[in-house]
Amino acid sequence: MQLTTDQLIKGIDHPNVHVRDSVLHHLTDSFNSTLDLTRAVIAAVERNGWSKALLWPHRIGNCGLDEDSLRWCLDQIDRTDDLAPNDNTKSRLVRWALTAPVDCLSRQLHRMSEMESFNERKLLSKVTALESIEEKIEIWQLGAQRCWERLEQHCRAIRKDSNFQDANINLATSLIEPIALERVRFGDDVLRWLKHENIEEGDWKQWMLGMMILLAGRMRLEASVPDLLKHYQPDWDWYNEEIGWSISRIGTPVAHRTIAEYYPGKSWNVRNYLTGPLETIRHEGGIHLLLPLLEIEDNAPFRCGIGTAIALQFDERAIDPALAIYHEAPDDPERLRIIKTLFAFVSIAELDVPQKDEWEKLIENDWERFSRIRSSSSEQLFALTELVQKKLVRKQDVERVPEKHRRIDSYSEPKFNRLVSNRRVGRNDPCPCGSGKKYKKCCIKSEATSQFD
């Protein structure tokens, strides 16, 4: 028995917070973020309060928004009572508001203009949230055709830029949003662009091709998957990450089968990135596509990824093979997600599994361990953050803080973590938040999608 998406969404109503967390984690990672999910999460927060509803409240920011949920979001940002979300969660809610449809933003613009949270300038930010919203509204007023023209112009103008800040990729990403809704009109153009190969360094087409990778996912162009796979680059994380996320957005059984067939024999780099969409796409035949990959994969982290992908099918047939992968290295913290997923599945499906109590204890012990680490370091980090923001402490002084304290809790302020650390967190490094997962499996999305922090 495989749970349907509707059954998973009902899991947000489950009394166990670990079940709610696993379901929300999967549904938002796999871009199955319907308004039904949003309403279920809001109901969970209303019922349990912010402190108990979700282990990771920031994940609500990956849910869809409509007029009603946007108003609720703004109400939460405005709250000052004892049950109000904390400042970090409010910051995430501001980011969430920015993802609302432009017509909803337009109708709520006056209210947001009077809210301090939308007018304050964050650390490292060039614009306020309100300015980002106003820019978004202005871009949508251009129309899809003009946005396409502006996108080409922008990519030509930045052809020699080598980093995202100079290239203003946030602006380019905003330009593709109106285009993404015009699949019939621009879908063939996107597919033609993805046929480009061997583009020379410094050619504006490199940037434009990256935007086409994003559009292929947002348009859910199933036919683009074979061409997307051709564009994995050994040294450009932007292409590589966006290819995986675009295939996850497409999310069809055909897309899943295509990447499963493409996987064998590929380089370490490519297999590394393919584990993402292998995990996020779920369908009736998913297990049968994934099991053969275990027979050819001997890399332990990738076997863990495939085992997690099997568990994330939320299917009774997944229990035994997923458990086998977990037991290959039960002390590996990344493999605990297999147990968390299986626990969520049997809880929602109401299956009588002998190991269920043992799984629950493992999960609770892991969360208690992480909570102790977080609480022991968060006060110092947040105090330092505030001092840096007020320019009472120099960045150099913060850099003298031991690494373990500088890195902890960065899930709440990922940009601050990169400011005070001397090196960029690698996608395969342990996530700075302390979850035990790799950065690519944990907080990288929150940082990549932040527009103004």
Side-chain angles (χ1 to χ4, degrees), residues 61-73:
N62 295 324
C63 295
L65 278 169
D66 61 3
E67 191 85 33
D68 290 339
S69 51
L70 176 58
R71 281 196 293 265
W72 180 85
C73 174

Side-chain angles (χ1 to χ4, degrees), residues 268-281:
W268 182 95
N269 178 66
V270 173
R271 299 194 333 271
N272 185 28
Y273 284 101
L274 284 176
T275 55
L278 284 176
E279 289 179 12
T280 54
I281 301 176

Side-chain angles (χ1 to χ4, degrees), residues 77-96:
I77 296 170
D78 265 343
R79 286 181 68 172
T80 57
D81 59 274
D82 293 341
L83 299 179
N86 61 34
D87 289 343
N88 178 56
T89 301
K90 286 188 177 185
S91 177
R92 298 285 184 172
L93 290 172
V94 170
R95 297 183 196 179
W96 186 32

Side-chain angles (χ1 to χ4, degrees), residues 281-426:
I281 301 176
R282 191 175 69 89
H283 57 97
E284 184 62 35
I287 293 174
H288 300 301
L289 289 176
L290 294 165
L291 287 175
L293 300 184
L294 291 175
E295 299 175 7
I296 61 170
E297 184 57 79
D298 57 5
N299 179 285
F302 297 166
R303 288 183 64 81
C304 173
I306 296 169
T308 303
I310 291 171
L312 286 167
Q313 294 299 309
F314 288 94
D315 191 316
E316 193 169 1
R317 297 167 295 178
I319 296 177
D320 289 341
L323 270 182
I325 298 301
Y326 168 76
H327 285 298
E328 288 179 355
D331 293 330
D332 177 1
E334 284 211 29
R335 302 202 182 207
L336 190 60
R337 191 181 177 195
I338 294 175
I339 299 301
K340 292 177 181 178
T341 304
L342 293 178
F343 176 73
F345 167 67
V346 300
S347 297
I348 297 170
E350 298 181 343
L351 296 179
D352 185 14
V353 177
Q355 307 100 311
K356 183 179 177 182
D357 290 342
E358 177 187 346
W359 294 347
E360 185 173 15
K361 186 175 181 180
L362 277 172
I363 295 166
E364 289 179 347
N365 287 345
D366 179 73
W367 181 252
E368 289 174 4
R369 175 196 62 81
F370 170 71
S371 298
R372 286 194 301 270
I373 295 173
R374 179 174 61 178
S375 62
S376 68
S377 301
S378 60
E379 274 190 33
Q380 182 179 17
L381 178 69
F382 291 141
L384 287 169
T385 304
E386 185 176 6
L387 290 173
V388 170
Q389 289 172 331
K390 293 179 178 178
K391 298 183 179 179
L392 298 177
V393 172
R394 299 175 303 165
K395 290 183 291 183
Q396 297 94 316
D397 296 327
V398 180
E399 287 169 0
R400 297 192 185 101
V401 177
E403 177 73 8
K404 65 179 180 178
H405 295 310
R406 283 193 274 117
R407 293 168 62 87
I408 201 66
D409 265 11
S410 63
Y411 72 92
S412 59
E413 293 289 349
K415 293 289 186 180
F416 175 73
N417 175 64
R418 290 192 172 197
L419 169 69
V420 301
S421 181
N422 287 326
R423 69 179 184 86
R424 181 181 176 86
V425 179

Side-chain angles (χ1 to χ4, degrees), residues 101-140:
V102 70
D103 56 335
C104 298
L105 290 173
S106 297
R107 288 190 288 271
Q108 298 296 326
L109 185 61
H110 178 71
R111 178 180 179 184
M112 290 184 286
S113 69
E114 296 181 336
M115 296 173 66
E116 181 180 352
S117 298
F118 287 87
N119 285 280
E120 59 186 7
R121 200 172 300 276
K122 298 286 186 177
L123 185 66
L124 299 182
S125 174
K126 291 185 176 180
V127 298
T128 65
L130 184 64
E131 289 168 338
S132 294
I133 293 170
E134 290 171 339
E135 180 183 67
K136 180 175 180 176
I137 294 172
E138 181 181 348
I139 286 173
W140 275 80

Side-chain angles (χ1 to χ4, degrees), residues 199-234:
I199 300 175
E200 294 183 6
E201 187 173 351
D203 192 325
W204 71 278
K205 293 177 182 177
Q206 280 191 322
W207 288 111
M208 189 68 174
L209 180 59
M211 305 315 297
M212 296 302 104
I213 291 171
L214 270 68
L215 272 170
R218 284 159 174 76
M219 289 182 174
R220 299 186 183 268
L221 296 175
E222 184 179 79
S224 71
V225 176
D227 287 318
L228 286 172
L229 293 172
K230 294 177 184 177
H231 291 295
Y232 275 113
Q233 301 283 339

Side-chain angles (χ1 to χ4, degrees), residues 168-182:
N168 197 355
I169 289 300
N170 282 339
L171 172 61
T173 303
S174 297
L175 287 168
I176 75 169
E177 291 186 19
I179 302 170
L181 295 181
E182 299 282 352

